[in-house]
Amino acid sequence: MNGLLLRGLSIDWDSLAPDSYLRAIPALGFEGALLFDSPVTCLVGENGSGKSTLLEGIALALGLNPEGGGWNYRFATYDSHSPLHEAIRLVRGPRRPSHSYFLRAESFYNVATRAEDYRDGDPEEDFYARYGGRSLHRQSHGESFLHLIQGDFRPGGLYLLDEPEAALSPQRQLNLLCELHRLSQAGAQFILATHSPILTGLPGAALLSLDGGAIHPVAYEDTEGYRVTEMFINRRKSLLPQLPED
């Protein structure tokens, strides 16, 4: 088998209530194990396809905080996570991750606050030097989001990112792409839920689509993010009159 930190997972549906809403998400109803075969895996698909639910379930099964952060992050502002983690059975690799982190664009403000709360007595100047020289709350959303990744993510770590493009400009997405490449080459593993045609364009990334009611590999050019972006760029001037109002 491969030497990844997380090789795959399965779902024990007997551990979930018969009326659980999770049973109504078709892509999660796969049989056997979902295997990972690349240091970077991108979960893609339309809104509601289940990619963020699956990513959150993996994070909680790893012992990470539902709203994000590393192993020592324990805070909650609103309890909305699903019980999927209770049914996920992880297939771990031979190496233990040196570090793990769950990062969601939607709850980044709270994670940034906790990052400063949990600085373990480090002098303020040393702590901020790790994040671009300033408090994460004195930077733009995109700047602080990227600086946290650059400051906290390490070789040999296991990292889960939920729609990171929501916080990042196209240029910052390219910066993140470089970080994904650099760290994955140094033994880190990433699983992303994303719509970004920039992030899914990382050479060698495994692309798994949750569209169509099943999790399946998809070519880069067949992802919705790529197809819609290509269509818009190539047909921008003539496109609007042709779009359905709904």
Side-chain angles (χ1 to χ4, degrees), residues 43 51-59 102 160-162 191 193:
L43 305 177
K51 57 188 185 299
S52 291
T53 299
L54 178 59
L55 192 72
E56 177 190 80
I58 297 171
F102 181 34
L160 311 179
L161 306 179
D162 188 15
I191 303 175

Side-chain angles (χ1 to χ4, degrees), residues 119 122-131 133-134:
R119 67 174 186 250
D122 290 345
E124 205 169 81
E125 60 273 17
D126 293 344
F127 176 79
Y128 290 146
R130 197 161 86 231
Y131 301 127
R134 289 178 292 159

Side-chain angles (χ1 to χ4, degrees), residues 39-101:
V40 180
T41 299
C42 297
L43 305 177
V44 301
E46 186 51 86
N47 293 338
S49 62
K51 57 188 185 299
S52 291
T53 299
L54 178 59
L55 192 72
E56 177 190 80
I58 297 171
L60 270 67
L62 287 166
L64 296 169
N65 193 55
E67 292 186 37
W71 279 321
N72 65 325
Y73 282 58
R74 289 293 177 263
F75 69 92
T77 54
Y78 185 74
D79 186 0
S80 64
H81 58 277
S82 82
L84 182 61
H85 64 285
E86 300 172 5
I88 285 182
R89 305 294 179 258
L90 300 175
V91 182
R92 299 177 186 268
R95 295 180 294 124
R96 177 180 172 81
S98 63
H99 184 239
S100 287
Y101 214 101

Side-chain angles (χ1 to χ4, degrees), residues 120 137 183 225:
D120 297 327
H137 287 304
L183 289 169

Side-chain angles (χ1 to χ4, degrees), residues 107-183:
S107 56
F108 177 72
Y109 179 92
N110 300 326
V111 170
T113 298
R114 296 301 175 177
E116 302 204 5
D117 289 345
Y118 296 161
R119 67 174 186 250
D120 297 327
D122 290 345
E124 205 169 81
E125 60 273 17
D126 293 344
F127 176 79
Y128 290 146
R130 197 161 86 231
Y131 301 127
R134 289 178 292 159
S135 165
L136 292 168
H137 287 304
R138 294 186 178 275
Q139 305 177 44
S140 73
H141 189 192
E143 287 176 322
S144 56
F145 194 91
L146 187 61
H147 280 150
L148 186 141
I149 291 173
Q150 293 171 329
D152 278 354
F153 288 20
R154 309 164 194 162
L158 176 58
Y159 302 110
L160 311 179
L161 306 179
D162 188 15
E163 300 188 2
E165 68 273 12
L168 302 173
S169 70
Q171 178 60 58
R172 299 288 184 185
Q173 290 180 50
L174 286 173
N175 294 146
L176 175 56
L177 190 76
C178 292
E179 288 296 305
L180 296 178
H181 176 70
R182 179 181 68 84
L183 289 169

